[in-house]
Amino acid sequence: MKTFIKVEANLQLKDLTTQHLALICNELATLRLQADLTLAPKMPHFANKPYPIGRCREIRDEMFNLLQVALQQSQKPGLSLLRDGISQGHVIKKAWGSLRDEYFQNALIFGPWYIDVANDTVNANKPRVEMLPLATSQFSAITSFAQFTKIARSYWQVDIYKNDICPALAPYMPLLCVGKNGVSWLAAANDDMLSLAVDSQFEASIAILNTLPSPPEHIKARWANVLASSNNNPFLANHGNPVNYCRQYQQSLHHPDIAQRDGAVIAYSSLPKSL
């Protein structure tokens, strides 16, 4: 027998009950099936593992887009609860951060709620969608490169070195990750970690650079071959001390320099994503 849940008019977002949350999650899980039909054929594998493993960002982004349409059109009671929350002034926001310092996670934040629409991207046997109070979800922003490094080492199964292969980029991306297969890449080129570097006046970058070793010589040689053809982009110089570059940028920046940040990102984008 079906259980019908009465949705009260003007119910405050903070007052959602367990039954309300189950209703919302069920309707989001149905919407997630639509997202899977779009994404799974485009990205069937990630690191030799089948979809949806490792695709939390892509799924979160697709679900965010689908929600913009569904919240305008659907009259289903669970989505109506979300729409009521929006009418109360709350905003559904994309978020990226640490989940229990075990994983990097992409999620949605809606007022006092954490909504994981890609809850099965580490363990495919878990429910697709989970909604928890943000205060008890153990989801939080990443506040240091040391925290990022700790999570990356265990979650991605990588070794991490200081970025002295491309030291002029190191103030923004101070890390070089090396997988078990020897493939390496610069980290972390996302808005959150770039903001951490810039907002700290590169002190966060200096702190981690001073604790990490240089990468093995064969990795450095591999990157040097690529950087040799970088068309003299100053961000892609393969000589110098990364901490000195941090100090240099500190002296020239009395406020965040968006143009310089964008220049660093453009230079990074011209490099192979992994090598």
Side-chain angles (χ1 to χ4, degrees):
M1 185 176 73
K2 290 185 177 180
T3 300
F4 293 93
I5 301 172
K6 182 179 179 181
V7 177
E8 304 169 23
N10 300 318
L11 179 71
Q12 294 298 302
L13 194 59
K14 65 181 176 61
D15 296 326
L16 296 179
T17 67
T18 301
Q19 287 183 309
H20 291 133
L21 298 182
L23 186 63
I24 293 169
C25 285
N26 286 340
E27 292 178 13
L28 288 176
T30 299
L31 197 63
R32 170 61 196 280
L33 292 175
Q34 186 177 338
D36 291 341
L37 287 173
T38 298
L39 296 176
K42 296 178 181 178
M43 45 192 69
H45 296 93
F46 178 82
N48 297 319
K49 295 180 181 179
Y51 180 91
I53 300 300
R55 296 298 186 181
C56 63
R57 179 179 61 82
E58 293 88 350
I59 291 170
R60 189 277 314 274
D61 289 351
E62 182 70 14
M63 284 290 290
F64 181 85
N65 293 335
L66 289 172
L67 265 176
Q68 308 313 301
V69 177
L71 288 171
Q72 294 180 35
Q73 298 178 349
S74 176
Q75 297 304 313
K76 292 182 178 180
L79 295 183
S80 294
L81 285 167
L82 296 182
R83 189 162 52 243
D84 289 346
I86 293 172
S87 71
Q88 296 164 18
H90 299 287
V91 178
I92 298 177
K93 301 176 182 178
K94 295 181 183 181
W96 173 85
S98 160
L99 187 61
R100 300 186 299 274
D101 270 3
E102 295 177 13
Y103 313 117
F104 299 120
Q105 184 68 354
N106 291 273
L108 300 173
I109 303 298
F110 190 38
W113 297 100
Y114 164 83
I115 307 176
D116 186 353
V117 292
N119 189 49
D120 56 341
T121 55
V122 174
N123 180 349
N125 294 318
K126 295 177 70 174
R128 287 182 173 87
V129 177
E130 182 177 55
M131 187 168 177
L132 301 169
L134 180 59
T136 58
S137 66
Q138 296 183 282
F139 176 83
S140 61
I142 293 176
T143 58
S144 71
F145 284 104
Q147 182 186 11
F148 180 95
T149 297
K150 176 186 175 185
I151 299 168
R153 280 177 173 147
S154 60
Y155 182 34
W156 291 345
Q157 293 293 294
V158 295
D159 295 320
I160 299 185
Y161 302 93
K162 64 181 174 183
N163 173 16
D164 57 3
I165 60 167
C166 207
L169 274 184
Y172 295 95
M173 302 163 210
L175 309 176
L176 182 76
C177 300
V178 181
K180 300 301 182 187
N181 59 358
V183 172
S184 59
W185 62 94
L186 296 178
N190 63 45
D191 287 341
D192 296 84
M193 298 308 293
L194 289 168
S195 294
L196 173 63
V198 173
D199 293 346
S200 72
Q201 294 262 303
F202 305 110
E203 288 294 339
S205 302
I206 292 170
I208 195 66
L209 287 165
N210 282 331
T211 68
L212 294 174
S214 293
E217 289 301 322
H218 70 279
I219 300 262
K220 296 176 74 170
R222 194 185 304 162
W223 279 95
N225 288 335
V226 170
L227 293 168
S229 59
S230 61
N231 298 321
N232 297 317
N233 186 314
F235 283 112
L236 302 183
N238 67 342
H239 58 272
N241 185 303
V243 171
N244 289 345
Y245 275 103
C246 291
R247 297 298 186 201
Q248 176 184 323
Y249 295 173
Q250 284 178 331
Q251 291 170 7
S252 62
L253 296 184
H254 300 293
H255 54 83
D257 188 329
I258 301 302
Q260 178 167 295
R261 177 194 182 278
D262 289 349
V265 172
I266 290 169
Y268 163 79
S269 298
S270 72
L271 295 173
K273 293 300 174 283
S274 61
L275 195 62

